[in-house]
Amino acid sequence: MVDHGYVHKLKAGEPGNPILFVLHGTGGDENQFFGFSPELLPEATIVSPRGDVSEHGAARFFRRTGEGVYDMADLARATEKMVNFVKTLAAEHEATEIIGLGYSNGANILANVLIEEGVFDRAVLMHPLIPFRPKDNPVLSGRKILVTAGERDPICPAPLTRALADYFKAQQATVEVEWHTGGHDIRQNEIAAIERFLKG
């Protein structure tokens, strides 16, 4: 279905419950986490948009000019679009809490929405890469953020993951970091940490 700016899938929960936005990685689509999400938060409204940028046929949420090199103008466009999308759907479904879960490119757009606007009360950033020093934003105080990462991730180097977690901590957000010993793959201990974070 197409409306609010993104092709997306939606499972409506009852008004007065949380809303969970799930954002796929490069080459994924709105199906990547949609089936898994109701297991995490059965009562929530689930929204899974498809990235509106194509990189050689792979869906993404914003453009890049190379591996780890972002088109900053397009990132700003995409961030504003995602903020409006999230706020509109959260209001429509009378959500009590706005939660985000993103992987790889989905984690990056989610992280930048947090950096710029806050919006999400809780967020799961799986293998995020923010290759710049974000601006300080006092609205992040009290937000709850889980970062999951691989110690040997060639796409999201561990020092940059730590720098992002430290940035959120410096903004007075509550931050947890879950590591595994591998690379850009999603492992079982990450899934377990996400379940604890969302159900806690």
Side-chain angles (χ1 to χ4, degrees):
M1 87 196 219
V2 183
D3 61 349
H4 303 310
Y6 289 98
V7 174
H8 65 278
K9 296 184 83 166
L10 186 147
K11 173 193 162 289
E14 292 295 320
N17 279 306
I19 189 166
L20 171 63
F21 291 85
V22 288
L23 308 175
H24 63 77
T26 299
D29 63 18
E30 65 274 22
N31 297 301
Q32 186 170 19
F33 298 113
F34 188 73
F36 165 64
S37 303
E39 298 174 24
L40 296 172
L41 287 173
E43 306 302 317
T45 292
I46 310 293
V47 185
S48 184
R50 183 195 307 166
D52 60 349
V53 169
S54 175
E55 182 179 271
H56 311 298
R60 286 175 55 84
F61 290 99
F62 60 89
R63 301 184 198 285
R64 58 183 173 180
T65 56
E67 188 67 60
V69 184
Y70 296 168
D71 179 330
M72 297 302 287
D74 196 60
L75 177 59
R77 172 206 65 84
T79 298
E80 182 179 4
K81 180 175 177 177
M82 184 63 72
V83 167
N84 291 334
F85 177 76
V86 169
K87 286 182 174 178
T88 299
L89 280 159
E92 280 184 9
H93 292 273
E94 300 175 31
T96 52
E97 186 181 21
I98 302 175
I99 306 170
L101 180 150
Y103 167 60
S104 192
N105 181 244
N108 300 338
I109 188 68
L110 176 53
N112 208 57
V113 167
L114 282 165
I115 289 162
E116 293 292 332
E117 299 284 346
V119 181
F120 293 93
D121 301 297
R122 287 191 285 163
V124 177
L125 305 173
M126 305 168 71
H127 301 260
L129 174 64
I130 297 296
F132 53 86
R133 171 65 171 87
K135 67 179 187 182
D136 291 329
N137 192 342
V139 77
L140 289 168
S141 177
R143 313 276 166 155
K144 297 182 174 67
I145 300 168
L146 170 65
V147 178
T148 70
E151 293 172 358
R152 296 174 178 81
D153 192 331
I155 296 171
C156 307
L160 287 178
T161 302
R162 292 189 186 97
L164 181 62
D166 288 344
Y167 159 77
F168 284 125
K169 288 175 186 173
Q171 309 309 308
Q172 307 303 314
T174 300
V175 183
E176 300 173 41
V177 184
E178 179 74 22
W179 293 94
H180 66 62
T181 57
H184 204 59
D185 52 315
I186 299 170
R187 297 205 174 173
Q188 191 55 47
N189 69 301
E190 280 180 83
I191 302 298
I194 291 165
E195 289 176 342
R196 287 195 304 271
F197 178 78
L198 291 179
K199 292 175 180 175

